[in-house]
PDB file of all heavy atoms in Angstrom:
ATOM      1  N   VAL B 107     -42.632 -26.988 -39.836  1.00 90.00           N
ATOM      2  CA  VAL B 107     -42.310 -28.370 -40.140  1.00 90.00           C
ATOM      3  C   VAL B 107     -41.387 -28.808 -38.984  1.00 90.00           C
ATOM      4  O   VAL B 107     -41.569 -29.964 -38.454  1.00 90.00           O
ATOM      5  CB  VAL B 107     -41.380 -28.386 -41.435  1.00 90.00           C
ATOM      6  CG1 VAL B 107     -40.691 -29.693 -41.559  1.00 90.00           C
ATOM      7  CG2 VAL B 107     -42.304 -28.114 -42.517  1.00 90.00           C
ATOM      8  N   VAL B 108     -40.507 -27.972 -38.346  1.00 91.00           N
ATOM      9  CA  VAL B 108     -39.784 -28.418 -37.229  1.00 91.00           C
ATOM     10  C   VAL B 108     -40.658 -28.653 -36.070  1.00 91.00           C
ATOM     11  O   VAL B 108     -40.496 -29.659 -35.308  1.00 91.00           O
ATOM     12  CB  VAL B 108     -38.750 -27.228 -36.822  1.00 91.00           C
ATOM     13  CG1 VAL B 108     -37.937 -27.587 -35.665  1.00 91.00           C
ATOM     14  CG2 VAL B 108     -37.829 -27.022 -37.982  1.00 91.00           C
ATOM     15  N   VAL B 109     -41.697 -27.805 -35.915  1.00 93.00           N
ATOM     16  CA  VAL B 109     -42.710 -28.073 -34.777  1.00 93.00           C
ATOM     17  C   VAL B 109     -43.258 -29.436 -34.904  1.00 93.00           C
ATOM     18  O   VAL B 109     -43.430 -30.239 -33.937  1.00 93.00           O
ATOM     19  CB  VAL B 109     -43.729 -26.990 -34.849  1.00 93.00           C
ATOM     20  CG1 VAL B 109     -45.016 -27.443 -34.031  1.00 93.00           C
ATOM     21  CG2 VAL B 109     -43.156 -25.624 -34.376  1.00 93.00           C
ATOM     22  N   TYR B 110     -43.653 -29.843 -36.191  1.00 91.00           N
ATOM     23  CA  TYR B 110     -44.220 -31.134 -36.478  1.00 91.00           C
ATOM     24  C   TYR B 110     -43.273 -32.221 -36.154  1.00 91.00           C
ATOM     25  O   TYR B 110     -43.630 -33.216 -35.511  1.00 91.00           O
ATOM     26  CB  TYR B 110     -44.780 -31.138 -37.844  1.00 91.00           C
ATOM     27  CG  TYR B 110     -46.247 -31.408 -37.909  1.00 91.00           C
ATOM     28  CD1 TYR B 110     -47.127 -30.527 -37.430  1.00 91.00           C
ATOM     29  CD2 TYR B 110     -46.656 -32.744 -38.484  1.00 91.00           C
ATOM     30  CE1 TYR B 110     -48.506 -30.805 -37.536  1.00 91.00           C
ATOM     31  CE2 TYR B 110     -48.013 -32.983 -38.541  1.00 91.00           C
ATOM     32  CZ  TYR B 110     -48.933 -32.145 -38.063  1.00 91.00           C
ATOM     33  OH  TYR B 110     -50.262 -32.420 -38.050  1.00 91.00           O
ATOM     34  N   GLU B 111     -42.063 -31.995 -36.640  1.00 90.00           N
ATOM     35  CA  GLU B 111     -41.092 -33.113 -36.349  1.00 90.00           C
ATOM     36  C   GLU B 111     -40.772 -33.168 -34.783  1.00 90.00           C
ATOM     37  O   GLU B 111     -40.701 -34.315 -34.363  1.00 90.00           O
ATOM     38  CB  GLU B 111     -39.729 -32.726 -37.057  1.00 90.00           C
ATOM     39  CG  GLU B 111     -39.765 -32.978 -38.514  1.00 90.00           C
ATOM     40  CD  GLU B 111     -38.551 -32.385 -39.308  1.00 90.00           C
ATOM     41  OE1 GLU B 111     -37.852 -31.604 -38.758  1.00 90.00           O
ATOM     42  OE2 GLU B 111     -38.420 -32.781 -40.444  1.00 90.00           O
ATOM     43  N   LEU B 112     -40.783 -32.135 -34.188  1.00 92.00           N
ATOM     44  CA  LEU B 112     -40.654 -32.115 -32.749  1.00 92.00           C
ATOM     45  C   LEU B 112     -41.683 -32.917 -32.033  1.00 92.00           C
ATOM     46  O   LEU B 112     -41.584 -33.774 -31.168  1.00 92.00           O
ATOM     47  CB  LEU B 112     -40.458 -30.702 -32.077  1.00 92.00           C
ATOM     48  CG  LEU B 112     -39.185 -30.051 -32.269  1.00 92.00           C
ATOM     49  CD1 LEU B 112     -39.227 -28.520 -31.846  1.00 92.00           C
ATOM     50  CD2 LEU B 112     -38.135 -30.771 -31.420  1.00 92.00           C
ATOM     51  N   LEU B 113     -42.939 -32.571 -32.339  1.00 93.00           N
ATOM     52  CA  LEU B 113     -44.062 -33.109 -31.699  1.00 93.00           C
ATOM     53  C   LEU B 113     -44.131 -34.627 -31.952  1.00 93.00           C
ATOM     54  O   LEU B 113     -44.488 -35.424 -31.142  1.00 93.00           O
ATOM     55  CB  LEU B 113     -45.371 -32.474 -32.212  1.00 93.00           C
ATOM     56  CG  LEU B 113     -45.573 -31.133 -31.707  1.00 93.00           C
ATOM     57  CD1 LEU B 113     -46.871 -30.456 -32.383  1.00 93.00           C
ATOM     58  CD2 LEU B 113     -45.719 -31.012 -30.264  1.00 93.00           C
ATOM     59  N   GLU B 114     -43.709 -35.041 -33.210  1.00 90.00           N
ATOM     60  CA  GLU B 114     -43.687 -36.326 -33.524  1.00 90.00           C
ATOM     61  C   GLU B 114     -42.653 -37.106 -32.691  1.00 90.00           C
ATOM     62  O   GLU B 114     -42.933 -38.223 -32.237  1.00 90.00           O
ATOM     63  CB  GLU B 114     -43.237 -36.457 -35.052  1.00 90.00           C
ATOM     64  CG  GLU B 114     -43.211 -37.856 -35.632  1.00 90.00           C
ATOM     65  CD  GLU B 114     -44.677 -38.366 -35.900  1.00 90.00           C
ATOM     66  OE1 GLU B 114     -45.521 -37.486 -35.936  1.00 90.00           O
ATOM     67  OE2 GLU B 114     -44.857 -39.576 -35.944  1.00 90.00           O
ATOM     68  N   GLU B 115     -41.548 -36.493 -32.280  1.00 89.00           N
ATOM     69  CA  GLU B 115     -40.529 -37.211 -31.500  1.00 89.00           C
ATOM     70  C   GLU B 115     -40.853 -37.149 -30.118  1.00 89.00           C
ATOM     71  O   GLU B 115     -40.511 -38.070 -29.355  1.00 89.00           O
ATOM     72  CB  GLU B 115     -39.170 -36.531 -31.659  1.00 89.00           C
ATOM     73  CG  GLU B 115     -38.434 -36.779 -32.996  1.00 89.00           C
ATOM     74  CD  GLU B 115     -38.359 -38.193 -33.305  1.00 89.00           C
ATOM     75  OE1 GLU B 115     -38.243 -39.019 -32.403  1.00 89.00           O
ATOM     76  OE2 GLU B 115     -38.238 -38.580 -34.513  1.00 89.00           O
ATOM     77  N   MET B 116     -41.718 -36.075 -29.565  1.00 92.00           N
ATOM     78  CA  MET B 116     -41.956 -36.089 -28.172  1.00 92.00           C
ATOM     79  C   MET B 116     -42.960 -36.948 -27.734  1.00 92.00           C
ATOM     80  O   MET B 116     -42.993 -37.315 -26.560  1.00 92.00           O
ATOM     81  CB  MET B 116     -42.320 -34.629 -27.958  1.00 92.00           C
ATOM     82  CG  MET B 116     -41.192 -33.588 -28.048  1.00 92.00           C
ATOM     83  SD  MET B 116     -41.626 -31.836 -27.675  1.00 92.00           S
ATOM     84  CE  MET B 116     -41.471 -31.820 -25.899  1.00 92.00           C
ATOM     85  N   LEU B 117     -43.829 -37.299 -28.653  1.00 91.00           N
ATOM     86  CA  LEU B 117     -44.985 -38.286 -28.178  1.00 91.00           C
ATOM     87  C   LEU B 117     -44.985 -39.484 -29.208  1.00 91.00           C
ATOM     88  O   LEU B 117     -44.819 -39.335 -30.372  1.00 91.00           O
ATOM     89  CB  LEU B 117     -46.250 -37.615 -28.222  1.00 91.00           C
ATOM     90  CG  LEU B 117     -46.773 -36.703 -27.148  1.00 91.00           C
ATOM     91  CD1 LEU B 117     -48.121 -36.317 -27.277  1.00 91.00           C
ATOM     92  CD2 LEU B 117     -46.663 -37.407 -25.726  1.00 91.00           C
ATOM     93  N   ASP B 118     -45.229 -40.711 -28.589  1.00 88.00           N
ATOM     94  CA  ASP B 118     -45.459 -41.791 -29.420  1.00 88.00           C
ATOM     95  C   ASP B 118     -46.747 -42.323 -28.923  1.00 88.00           C
ATOM     96  O   ASP B 118     -46.889 -42.782 -27.768  1.00 88.00           O
ATOM     97  CB  ASP B 118     -44.330 -42.867 -29.301  1.00 88.00           C
ATOM     98  CG  ASP B 118     -44.573 -44.102 -30.174  1.00 88.00           C
ATOM     99  OD1 ASP B 118     -45.485 -44.015 -31.086  1.00 88.00           O
ATOM    100  OD2 ASP B 118     -43.971 -45.131 -30.038  1.00 88.00           O
ATOM    101  N   ASN B 119     -47.762 -42.464 -29.838  1.00 87.00           N
ATOM    102  CA  ASN B 119     -49.091 -42.904 -29.416  1.00 87.00           C
ATOM    103  C   ASN B 119     -49.564 -42.237 -28.193  1.00 87.00           C
ATOM    104  O   ASN B 119     -50.291 -42.716 -27.348  1.00 87.00           O
ATOM    105  CB  ASN B 119     -48.931 -44.422 -29.125  1.00 87.00           C
ATOM    106  CG  ASN B 119     -50.372 -44.999 -29.110  1.00 87.00           C
ATOM    107  OD1 ASN B 119     -51.242 -44.707 -29.787  1.00 87.00           O
ATOM    108  ND2 ASN B 119     -50.546 -45.969 -28.183  1.00 87.00           N
ATOM    109  N   GLY B 120     -49.236 -40.938 -28.131  1.00 88.00           N
ATOM    110  CA  GLY B 120     -49.749 -40.134 -26.945  1.00 88.00           C
ATOM    111  C   GLY B 120     -48.959 -40.308 -25.617  1.00 88.00           C
ATOM    112  O   GLY B 120     -49.161 -39.737 -24.643  1.00 88.00           O
ATOM    113  N   PHE B 121     -47.819 -41.090 -25.654  1.00 91.00           N
ATOM    114  CA  PHE B 121     -46.992 -41.225 -24.482  1.00 91.00           C
ATOM    115  C   PHE B 121     -45.588 -40.569 -24.662  1.00 91.00           C
ATOM    116  O   PHE B 121     -45.050 -40.793 -25.762  1.00 91.00           O
ATOM    117  CB  PHE B 121     -46.832 -42.762 -24.253  1.00 91.00           C
ATOM    118  CG  PHE B 121     -46.176 -42.936 -22.830  1.00 91.00           C
ATOM    119  CD1 PHE B 121     -46.880 -42.701 -21.700  1.00 91.00           C
ATOM    120  CD2 PHE B 121     -44.901 -43.326 -22.680  1.00 91.00           C
ATOM    121  CE1 PHE B 121     -46.393 -42.913 -20.403  1.00 91.00           C
ATOM    122  CE2 PHE B 121     -44.342 -43.581 -21.449  1.00 91.00           C
ATOM    123  CZ  PHE B 121     -44.975 -43.361 -20.381  1.00 91.00           C
ATOM    124  N   PRO B 122     -45.213 -39.759 -23.749  1.00 90.00           N
ATOM    125  CA  PRO B 122     -43.876 -39.027 -24.044  1.00 90.00           C
ATOM    126  C   PRO B 122     -42.715 -39.942 -24.357  1.00 90.00           C
ATOM    127  O   PRO B 122     -42.633 -40.996 -23.691  1.00 90.00           O
ATOM    128  CB  PRO B 122     -43.674 -38.327 -22.703  1.00 90.00           C
ATOM    129  CG  PRO B 122     -44.994 -38.224 -22.061  1.00 90.00           C
ATOM    130  CD  PRO B 122     -45.766 -39.375 -22.518  1.00 90.00           C
ATOM    131  N   LEU B 123     -42.010 -39.638 -25.440  1.00 87.00           N
ATOM    132  CA  LEU B 123     -40.875 -40.484 -25.833  1.00 87.00           C
ATOM    133  C   LEU B 123     -39.577 -39.737 -25.564  1.00 87.00           C
ATOM    134  O   LEU B 123     -38.817 -40.290 -24.811  1.00 87.00           O
ATOM    135  CB  LEU B 123     -41.073 -40.691 -27.359  1.00 87.00           C
ATOM    136  CG  LEU B 123     -40.270 -41.728 -27.969  1.00 87.00           C
ATOM    137  CD1 LEU B 123     -40.404 -43.054 -27.342  1.00 87.00           C
ATOM    138  CD2 LEU B 123     -40.384 -41.762 -29.489  1.00 87.00           C
ATOM    139  N   ALA B 124     -39.459 -38.593 -26.134  1.00 85.00           N
ATOM    140  CA  ALA B 124     -38.129 -37.919 -25.841  1.00 85.00           C
ATOM    141  C   ALA B 124     -38.503 -36.493 -25.576  1.00 85.00           C
ATOM    142  O   ALA B 124     -39.034 -35.715 -26.286  1.00 85.00           O
ATOM    143  CB  ALA B 124     -37.288 -37.904 -27.098  1.00 85.00           C
ATOM    144  N   THR B 125     -38.272 -36.053 -24.376  1.00 87.00           N
ATOM    145  CA  THR B 125     -38.584 -34.674 -23.934  1.00 87.00           C
ATOM    146  C   THR B 125     -37.364 -33.902 -23.473  1.00 87.00           C
ATOM    147  O   THR B 125     -37.412 -32.760 -23.235  1.00 87.00           O
ATOM    148  CB  THR B 125     -39.601 -34.641 -22.727  1.00 87.00           C
ATOM    149  OG1 THR B 125     -39.131 -35.473 -21.740  1.00 87.00           O
ATOM    150  CG2 THR B 125     -40.998 -35.063 -23.273  1.00 87.00           C
ATOM    151  N   GLU B 126     -36.181 -34.570 -23.425  1.00 85.00           N
ATOM    152  CA  GLU B 126     -34.994 -33.848 -22.984  1.00 85.00           C
ATOM    153  C   GLU B 126     -34.555 -33.038 -24.202  1.00 85.00           C
ATOM    154  O   GLU B 126     -34.264 -33.557 -25.321  1.00 85.00           O
ATOM    155  CB  GLU B 126     -33.870 -34.909 -22.574  1.00 85.00           C
ATOM    156  CG  GLU B 126     -34.008 -35.545 -21.315  1.00 85.00           C
ATOM    157  CD  GLU B 126     -33.968 -34.370 -20.120  1.00 85.00           C
ATOM    158  OE1 GLU B 126     -33.405 -33.380 -20.417  1.00 85.00           O
ATOM    159  OE2 GLU B 126     -34.493 -34.759 -19.118  1.00 85.00           O
ATOM    160  N   SER B 127     -34.276 -31.782 -23.921  1.00 84.00           N
ATOM    161  CA  SER B 127     -33.781 -30.943 -25.070  1.00 84.00           C
ATOM    162  C   SER B 127     -32.538 -31.390 -25.740  1.00 84.00           C
ATOM    163  O   SER B 127     -32.354 -31.330 -26.922  1.00 84.00           O
ATOM    164  CB  SER B 127     -33.713 -29.579 -24.451  1.00 84.00           C
ATOM    165  OG  SER B 127     -32.446 -28.993 -24.742  1.00 84.00           O
ATOM    166  N   ASN B 128     -31.601 -31.995 -24.892  1.00 82.00           N
ATOM    167  CA  ASN B 128     -30.318 -32.336 -25.526  1.00 82.00           C
ATOM    168  C   ASN B 128     -30.561 -33.576 -26.442  1.00 82.00           C
ATOM    169  O   ASN B 128     -29.850 -33.663 -27.571  1.00 82.00           O
ATOM    170  CB  ASN B 128     -29.438 -32.927 -24.400  1.00 82.00           C
ATOM    171  CG  ASN B 128     -28.479 -31.770 -24.060  1.00 82.00           C
ATOM    172  OD1 ASN B 128     -27.299 -31.813 -24.036  1.00 82.00           O
ATOM    173  ND2 ASN B 128     -29.073 -30.665 -23.437  1.00 82.00           N
ATOM    174  N   ILE B 129     -31.456 -34.492 -26.204  1.00 82.00           N
ATOM    175  CA  ILE B 129     -31.809 -35.546 -27.083  1.00 82.00           C
ATOM    176  C   ILE B 129     -32.458 -35.041 -28.341  1.00 82.00           C
ATOM    177  O   ILE B 129     -32.124 -35.373 -29.431  1.00 82.00           O
ATOM    178  CB  ILE B 129     -32.604 -36.552 -26.420  1.00 82.00           C
ATOM    179  CG1 ILE B 129     -31.920 -37.278 -25.308  1.00 82.00           C
ATOM    180  CG2 ILE B 129     -33.240 -37.517 -27.381  1.00 82.00           C
ATOM    181  CD1 ILE B 129     -32.616 -38.420 -24.699  1.00 82.00           C
ATOM    182  N   LEU B 130     -33.462 -34.178 -28.071  1.00 85.00           N
ATOM    183  CA  LEU B 130     -34.210 -33.682 -29.244  1.00 85.00           C
ATOM    184  C   LEU B 130     -33.334 -32.876 -30.280  1.00 85.00           C
ATOM    185  O   LEU B 130     -33.403 -32.948 -31.443  1.00 85.00           O
ATOM    186  CB  LEU B 130     -35.372 -32.631 -28.832  1.00 85.00           C
ATOM    187  CG  LEU B 130     -36.521 -33.450 -28.155  1.00 85.00           C
ATOM    188  CD1 LEU B 130     -37.372 -32.427 -27.453  1.00 85.00           C
ATOM    189  CD2 LEU B 130     -37.313 -34.181 -29.181  1.00 85.00           C
ATOM    190  N   LYS B 131     -32.338 -32.184 -29.562  1.00 84.00           N
ATOM    191  CA  LYS B 131     -31.472 -31.463 -30.497  1.00 84.00           C
ATOM    192  C   LYS B 131     -30.492 -32.284 -31.329  1.00 84.00           C
ATOM    193  O   LYS B 131     -30.030 -31.875 -32.357  1.00 84.00           O
ATOM    194  CB  LYS B 131     -30.651 -30.410 -29.650  1.00 84.00           C
ATOM    195  CG  LYS B 131     -31.553 -29.186 -29.320  1.00 84.00           C
ATOM    196  CD  LYS B 131     -30.713 -28.140 -28.604  1.00 84.00           C
ATOM    197  CE  LYS B 131     -31.632 -26.989 -28.440  1.00 84.00           C
ATOM    198  NZ  LYS B 131     -31.086 -26.078 -27.386  1.00 84.00           N
ATOM    199  N   GLU B 132     -30.306 -33.517 -30.811  1.00 81.00           N
ATOM    200  CA  GLU B 132     -29.494 -34.369 -31.718  1.00 81.00           C
ATOM    201  C   GLU B 132     -30.459 -34.948 -32.829  1.00 81.00           C
ATOM    202  O   GLU B 132     -29.864 -35.299 -33.818  1.00 81.00           O
ATOM    203  CB  GLU B 132     -28.947 -35.549 -30.847  1.00 81.00           C
ATOM    204  CG  GLU B 132     -27.661 -35.185 -30.261  1.00 81.00           C
ATOM    205  CD  GLU B 132     -26.947 -36.345 -29.582  1.00 81.00           C
ATOM    206  OE1 GLU B 132     -26.486 -37.299 -30.169  1.00 81.00           O
ATOM    207  OE2 GLU B 132     -26.975 -36.359 -28.300  1.00 81.00           O
ATOM    208  N   LEU B 133     -31.674 -35.128 -32.541  1.00 81.00           N
ATOM    209  CA  LEU B 133     -32.550 -35.719 -33.488  1.00 81.00           C
ATOM    210  C   LEU B 133     -32.971 -34.709 -34.547  1.00 81.00           C
ATOM    211  O   LEU B 133     -33.058 -34.954 -35.725  1.00 81.00           O
ATOM    212  CB  LEU B 133     -33.884 -36.225 -32.860  1.00 81.00           C
ATOM    213  CG  LEU B 133     -33.823 -37.558 -32.043  1.00 81.00           C
ATOM    214  CD1 LEU B 133     -35.076 -37.772 -31.329  1.00 81.00           C
ATOM    215  CD2 LEU B 133     -33.572 -38.691 -33.018  1.00 81.00           C
ATOM    216  N   ILE B 134     -33.251 -33.523 -34.023  1.00 84.00           N
ATOM    217  CA  ILE B 134     -33.725 -32.387 -35.010  1.00 84.00           C
ATOM    218  C   ILE B 134     -32.885 -31.193 -34.582  1.00 84.00           C
ATOM    219  O   ILE B 134     -33.061 -30.679 -33.474  1.00 84.00           O
ATOM    220  CB  ILE B 134     -35.149 -32.091 -34.734  1.00 84.00           C
ATOM    221  CG1 ILE B 134     -35.961 -33.433 -34.999  1.00 84.00           C
ATOM    222  CG2 ILE B 134     -35.640 -30.953 -35.619  1.00 84.00           C
ATOM    223  CD1 ILE B 134     -37.287 -33.479 -34.319  1.00 84.00           C
ATOM    224  N   LYS B 135     -32.113 -30.726 -35.452  1.00 81.00           N
ATOM    225  CA  LYS B 135     -31.264 -29.560 -35.142  1.00 81.00           C
ATOM    226  C   LYS B 135     -32.098 -28.336 -35.153  1.00 81.00           C
ATOM    227  O   LYS B 135     -32.928 -28.097 -36.061  1.00 81.00           O
ATOM    228  CB  LYS B 135     -30.139 -29.517 -36.142  1.00 81.00           C
ATOM    229  CG  LYS B 135     -29.321 -30.679 -36.341  1.00 81.00           C
ATOM    230  CD  LYS B 135     -27.837 -30.530 -36.196  1.00 81.00           C
ATOM    231  CE  LYS B 135     -27.170 -31.858 -36.117  1.00 81.00           C
ATOM    232  NZ  LYS B 135     -27.526 -32.988 -36.952  1.00 81.00           N
ATOM    233  N   PRO B 136     -31.852 -27.400 -34.253  1.00 80.00           N
ATOM    234  CA  PRO B 136     -32.608 -26.143 -34.205  1.00 80.00           C
ATOM    235  C   PRO B 136     -32.386 -25.364 -35.451  1.00 80.00           C
ATOM    236  O   PRO B 136     -31.214 -25.408 -35.929  1.00 80.00           O
ATOM    237  CB  PRO B 136     -32.169 -25.443 -32.908  1.00 80.00           C
ATOM    238  CG  PRO B 136     -31.327 -26.423 -32.186  1.00 80.00           C
ATOM    239  CD  PRO B 136     -30.940 -27.507 -33.142  1.00 80.00           C
ATOM    240  N   PRO B 137     -33.398 -24.657 -35.935  1.00 77.00           N
ATOM    241  CA  PRO B 137     -33.081 -23.873 -37.156  1.00 77.00           C
ATOM    242  C   PRO B 137     -32.174 -22.720 -36.836  1.00 77.00           C
ATOM    243  O   PRO B 137     -32.475 -21.982 -35.856  1.00 77.00           O
ATOM    244  CB  PRO B 137     -34.558 -23.425 -37.585  1.00 77.00           C
ATOM    245  CG  PRO B 137     -35.321 -23.449 -36.383  1.00 77.00           C
ATOM    246  CD  PRO B 137     -34.735 -24.553 -35.436  1.00 77.00           C
ATOM    247  N   THR B 138     -31.213 -22.547 -37.720  1.00 67.00           N
ATOM    248  CA  THR B 138     -30.415 -21.228 -37.688  1.00 67.00           C
ATOM    249  C   THR B 138     -30.341 -20.725 -39.088  1.00 67.00           C
ATOM    250  O   THR B 138     -30.451 -21.560 -39.985  1.00 67.00           O
ATOM    251  CB  THR B 138     -29.006 -21.506 -36.986  1.00 67.00           C
ATOM    252  OG1 THR B 138     -28.397 -22.370 -37.871  1.00 67.00           O
ATOM    253  CG2 THR B 138     -29.011 -22.053 -35.701  1.00 67.00           C
ATOM    254  N   ILE B 139     -29.928 -19.548 -39.129  1.00 61.00           N
ATOM    255  CA  ILE B 139     -29.853 -18.973 -40.460  1.00 61.00           C
ATOM    256  C   ILE B 139     -28.863 -19.726 -41.327  1.00 61.00           C
ATOM    257  O   ILE B 139     -29.042 -20.170 -42.429  1.00 61.00           O
ATOM    258  CB  ILE B 139     -29.526 -17.467 -40.343  1.00 61.00           C
ATOM    259  CG1 ILE B 139     -30.543 -16.739 -39.645  1.00 61.00           C
ATOM    260  CG2 ILE B 139     -29.211 -16.870 -41.784  1.00 61.00           C
ATOM    261  CD1 ILE B 139     -30.175 -15.282 -39.281  1.00 61.00           C
TER     262      ILE B 139
END
Side-chain angles (χ1 to χ4, degrees):
Chain B
V107 175
V108 179
V109 164
Y110 236 66
E111 284 170 345
L112 280 173
L113 291 175
E114 186 72 22
E115 290 302 335
M116 290 179 86
L117 281 184
D118 180 15
N119 195 35
F121 190 74
L123 190 62
T125 50
E126 282 299 336
S127 126
N128 269 242
I129 290 185
L130 285 171
K131 283 188 174 160
E132 271 185 75
L133 284 168
I134 301 150
K135 306 225 168 50
T138 61
I139 298 171

